[in-house]
mmCIF file of all heavy atoms in Angstrom:
data_model
loop_
_atom_site.group_PDB
_atom_site.id
_atom_site.type_symbol
_atom_site.label_atom_id
_atom_site.label_comp_id
_atom_site.label_asym_id
_atom_site.label_seq_id
_atom_site.Cartn_x
_atom_site.Cartn_y
_atom_site.Cartn_z
ATOM 1 N N LEU E 79 -11.717 6.694 -3.564
ATOM 2 C CA LEU E 79 -13.119 6.069 -3.523
ATOM 3 C C LEU E 79 -13.374 4.883 -2.544
ATOM 4 O O LEU E 79 -14.535 4.687 -2.261
ATOM 5 C CB LEU E 79 -13.397 5.558 -5.035
ATOM 6 C CG LEU E 79 -13.408 6.698 -6.079
ATOM 7 C CD1 LEU E 79 -13.537 6.081 -7.483
ATOM 8 C CD2 LEU E 79 -14.596 7.699 -5.812
ATOM 9 N N ALA E 80 -12.236 4.281 -2.170
ATOM 10 C CA ALA E 80 -12.307 3.212 -1.429
ATOM 11 C C ALA E 80 -12.216 3.346 0.175
ATOM 12 O O ALA E 80 -12.356 2.532 0.933
ATOM 13 C CB ALA E 80 -11.276 2.116 -1.745
ATOM 14 N N VAL E 81 -11.730 4.580 0.560
ATOM 15 C CA VAL E 81 -11.406 4.876 2.020
ATOM 16 C C VAL E 81 -12.742 4.859 2.728
ATOM 17 O O VAL E 81 -13.729 5.358 2.387
ATOM 18 C CB VAL E 81 -10.618 6.238 2.184
ATOM 19 C CG1 VAL E 81 -9.345 6.131 1.554
ATOM 20 C CG2 VAL E 81 -11.431 7.238 1.616
ATOM 21 N N PRO E 82 -12.654 4.301 3.893
ATOM 22 C CA PRO E 82 -13.910 4.267 4.890
ATOM 23 C C PRO E 82 -14.063 5.633 5.425
ATOM 24 O O PRO E 82 -13.074 6.468 5.382
ATOM 25 C CB PRO E 82 -13.494 3.323 5.964
ATOM 26 C CG PRO E 82 -12.279 2.502 5.405
ATOM 27 C CD PRO E 82 -11.691 3.340 4.388
ATOM 28 N N ALA E 83 -15.187 5.978 5.940
ATOM 29 C CA ALA E 83 -15.560 7.178 6.528
ATOM 30 C C ALA E 83 -14.809 7.537 7.804
ATOM 31 O O ALA E 83 -14.529 8.684 8.110
ATOM 32 C CB ALA E 83 -17.111 7.309 6.669
ATOM 33 N N ASN E 84 -14.572 6.539 8.703
ATOM 34 C CA ASN E 84 -13.957 6.595 9.882
ATOM 35 C C ASN E 84 -12.496 6.167 9.832
ATOM 36 O O ASN E 84 -12.048 5.398 8.942
ATOM 37 C CB ASN E 84 -14.690 5.862 10.972
ATOM 38 C CG ASN E 84 -15.999 6.369 11.243
ATOM 39 O OD1 ASN E 84 -16.385 7.489 10.875
ATOM 40 N ND2 ASN E 84 -16.974 5.592 11.654
ATOM 41 N N GLY E 85 -11.629 6.670 10.860
ATOM 42 C CA GLY E 85 -10.358 6.214 10.999
ATOM 43 C C GLY E 85 -9.282 7.268 10.414
ATOM 44 O O GLY E 85 -9.703 8.404 10.115
ATOM 45 N N SER E 86 -8.095 6.805 10.186
ATOM 46 C CA SER E 86 -7.077 7.642 9.737
ATOM 47 C C SER E 86 -6.292 7.008 8.635
ATOM 48 O O SER E 86 -5.771 5.841 8.888
ATOM 49 C CB SER E 86 -6.124 7.989 10.847
ATOM 50 O OG SER E 86 -5.036 8.717 10.433
ATOM 51 N N ILE E 87 -6.250 7.603 7.490
ATOM 52 C CA ILE E 87 -5.561 7.053 6.263
ATOM 53 C C ILE E 87 -4.601 8.049 5.715
ATOM 54 O O ILE E 87 -5.023 9.190 5.417
ATOM 55 C CB ILE E 87 -6.533 6.560 5.291
ATOM 56 C CG1 ILE E 87 -7.455 5.428 5.853
ATOM 57 C CG2 ILE E 87 -5.712 5.998 4.050
ATOM 58 C CD1 ILE E 87 -8.550 4.895 5.032
ATOM 59 N N ARG E 88 -3.400 7.650 5.498
ATOM 60 C CA ARG E 88 -2.347 8.579 4.916
ATOM 61 C C ARG E 88 -1.827 7.915 3.735
ATOM 62 O O ARG E 88 -1.641 6.720 3.551
ATOM 63 C CB ARG E 88 -1.174 8.904 5.980
ATOM 64 C CG ARG E 88 -1.611 9.269 7.244
ATOM 65 C CD ARG E 88 -1.819 10.808 7.293
ATOM 66 N NE ARG E 88 -2.054 11.288 8.728
ATOM 67 C CZ ARG E 88 -3.182 11.489 9.187
ATOM 68 N NH1 ARG E 88 -4.383 11.192 8.540
ATOM 69 N NH2 ARG E 88 -3.269 12.106 10.407
ATOM 70 N N MET E 89 -1.239 8.719 2.730
ATOM 71 C CA MET E 89 -0.605 8.262 1.574
ATOM 72 C C MET E 89 0.702 8.903 1.486
ATOM 73 O O MET E 89 0.716 10.063 1.602
ATOM 74 C CB MET E 89 -1.427 8.350 0.308
ATOM 75 C CG MET E 89 -0.885 7.677 -0.903
ATOM 76 S SD MET E 89 -1.759 8.305 -2.426
ATOM 77 C CE MET E 89 -1.022 9.831 -2.733
ATOM 78 N N LEU E 90 1.820 8.231 1.193
ATOM 79 C CA LEU E 90 3.118 8.913 0.831
ATOM 80 C C LEU E 90 3.692 8.338 -0.295
ATOM 81 O O LEU E 90 3.730 7.126 -0.602
ATOM 82 C CB LEU E 90 4.026 8.565 2.001
ATOM 83 C CG LEU E 90 5.496 9.046 1.945
ATOM 84 C CD1 LEU E 90 5.496 10.669 1.936
ATOM 85 C CD2 LEU E 90 6.304 8.461 3.077
ATOM 86 N N VAL E 91 4.161 9.208 -1.285
ATOM 87 C CA VAL E 91 4.837 8.698 -2.465
ATOM 88 C C VAL E 91 6.326 8.882 -2.320
ATOM 89 O O VAL E 91 6.821 10.076 -1.992
ATOM 90 C CB VAL E 91 4.318 9.302 -3.653
ATOM 91 C CG1 VAL E 91 5.024 8.927 -4.931
ATOM 92 C CG2 VAL E 91 2.836 9.163 -3.820
ATOM 93 N N VAL E 92 7.128 7.882 -2.613
ATOM 94 C CA VAL E 92 8.556 7.955 -2.518
ATOM 95 C C VAL E 92 9.184 7.302 -3.756
ATOM 96 O O VAL E 92 8.580 6.510 -4.396
ATOM 97 C CB VAL E 92 9.075 7.253 -1.216
ATOM 98 C CG1 VAL E 92 8.665 7.837 -0.102
ATOM 99 C CG2 VAL E 92 8.750 5.719 -1.246
ATOM 100 N N THR E 93 10.399 7.696 -4.148
ATOM 101 C CA THR E 93 11.003 7.198 -5.274
ATOM 102 C C THR E 93 11.601 5.734 -4.888
ATOM 103 O O THR E 93 11.813 5.413 -3.756
ATOM 104 C CB THR E 93 12.225 7.956 -5.726
ATOM 105 O OG1 THR E 93 13.187 8.070 -4.720
ATOM 106 C CG2 THR E 93 11.745 9.370 -6.045
ATOM 107 N N GLU E 94 11.999 4.978 -5.873
ATOM 108 C CA GLU E 94 12.697 3.699 -5.520
ATOM 109 C C GLU E 94 13.869 3.754 -4.730
ATOM 110 O O GLU E 94 14.132 3.048 -3.919
ATOM 111 C CB GLU E 94 12.874 2.901 -6.889
ATOM 112 C CG GLU E 94 11.793 2.172 -7.612
ATOM 113 C CD GLU E 94 11.009 1.185 -6.684
ATOM 114 O OE1 GLU E 94 11.683 0.312 -6.116
ATOM 115 O OE2 GLU E 94 9.887 1.419 -6.492
ATOM 116 N N LYS E 95 14.638 4.802 -5.056
ATOM 117 C CA LYS E 95 15.979 4.974 -4.377
ATOM 118 C C LYS E 95 15.635 5.298 -2.838
ATOM 119 O O LYS E 95 16.243 4.746 -1.951
ATOM 120 C CB LYS E 95 16.640 6.235 -4.969
ATOM 121 C CG LYS E 95 18.096 6.554 -4.345
ATOM 122 C CD LYS E 95 19.048 5.576 -4.957
ATOM 123 C CE LYS E 95 20.360 6.034 -4.528
ATOM 124 N NZ LYS E 95 21.382 5.066 -4.765
ATOM 125 N N GLN E 96 14.608 6.055 -2.566
ATOM 126 C CA GLN E 96 14.266 6.402 -1.137
ATOM 127 C C GLN E 96 13.673 5.157 -0.440
ATOM 128 O O GLN E 96 13.956 4.789 0.683
ATOM 129 C CB GLN E 96 13.227 7.539 -1.131
ATOM 130 C CG GLN E 96 13.745 8.889 -1.510
ATOM 131 C CD GLN E 96 12.618 9.881 -1.752
ATOM 132 O OE1 GLN E 96 11.462 9.592 -2.314
ATOM 133 N NE2 GLN E 96 12.859 11.178 -1.486
ATOM 134 N N TYR E 97 12.831 4.326 -1.220
ATOM 135 C CA TYR E 97 12.268 3.271 -0.717
ATOM 136 C C TYR E 97 13.363 2.157 -0.326
ATOM 137 O O TYR E 97 13.337 1.465 0.572
ATOM 138 C CB TYR E 97 11.344 2.466 -1.627
ATOM 139 C CG TYR E 97 10.543 1.326 -1.080
ATOM 140 C CD1 TYR E 97 9.503 1.572 -0.324
ATOM 141 C CD2 TYR E 97 10.916 0.091 -1.434
ATOM 142 C CE1 TYR E 97 8.879 0.507 0.250
ATOM 143 C CE2 TYR E 97 10.300 -1.027 -1.029
ATOM 144 C CZ TYR E 97 9.269 -0.891 -0.223
ATOM 145 O OH TYR E 97 8.487 -1.870 0.482
ATOM 146 N N GLU E 98 14.341 2.028 -1.203
ATOM 147 C CA GLU E 98 15.526 1.173 -1.029
ATOM 148 C C GLU E 98 16.351 1.446 0.295
ATOM 149 O O GLU E 98 17.092 0.592 0.904
ATOM 150 C CB GLU E 98 16.444 1.071 -2.078
ATOM 151 C CG GLU E 98 15.788 0.384 -3.252
ATOM 152 C CD GLU E 98 16.676 0.613 -4.554
ATOM 153 O OE1 GLU E 98 17.761 1.092 -4.441
ATOM 154 O OE2 GLU E 98 16.192 0.109 -5.641
ATOM 155 N N SER E 99 16.232 2.689 0.764
ATOM 156 C CA SER E 99 17.025 3.103 1.967
ATOM 157 C C SER E 99 16.277 2.714 3.205
ATOM 158 O O SER E 99 16.772 3.055 4.304
ATOM 159 C CB SER E 99 17.172 4.580 1.934
ATOM 160 O OG SER E 99 16.123 5.325 2.089
ATOM 161 N N ILE E 100 15.240 1.986 3.295
ATOM 162 C CA ILE E 100 14.501 1.560 4.462
ATOM 163 C C ILE E 100 15.540 0.737 5.178
ATOM 164 O O ILE E 100 16.150 -0.197 4.736
ATOM 165 C CB ILE E 100 13.176 0.795 4.079
ATOM 166 C CG1 ILE E 100 12.253 1.805 3.523
ATOM 167 C CG2 ILE E 100 12.698 0.105 5.361
ATOM 168 C CD1 ILE E 100 10.896 0.969 3.133
ATOM 169 N N ARG E 101 15.651 0.862 6.543
ATOM 170 C CA ARG E 101 16.408 0.099 7.402
ATOM 171 C C ARG E 101 15.504 -0.803 8.339
ATOM 172 O O ARG E 101 14.528 -0.237 8.884
ATOM 173 C CB ARG E 101 17.260 1.028 8.305
ATOM 174 C CG ARG E 101 18.211 1.906 7.722
ATOM 175 C CD ARG E 101 19.415 1.216 7.161
ATOM 176 N NE ARG E 101 20.502 2.026 6.655
ATOM 177 C CZ ARG E 101 20.552 2.458 5.389
ATOM 178 N NH1 ARG E 101 19.686 2.119 4.422
ATOM 179 N NH2 ARG E 101 21.653 3.264 5.087
#
Side-chain angles (χ1 to χ4, degrees):
L79 293 174
V81 296
N84 294 336
S86 175
I87 300 174
R88 308 274 191 263
M89 182 188 89
L90 174 68
V91 178
V92 297
T93 64
E94 282 299 310
K95 186 79 168 168
Q96 292 167 326
Y97 185 79
E98 290 170 5
S99 70
I100 291 176
R101 302 283 191 266

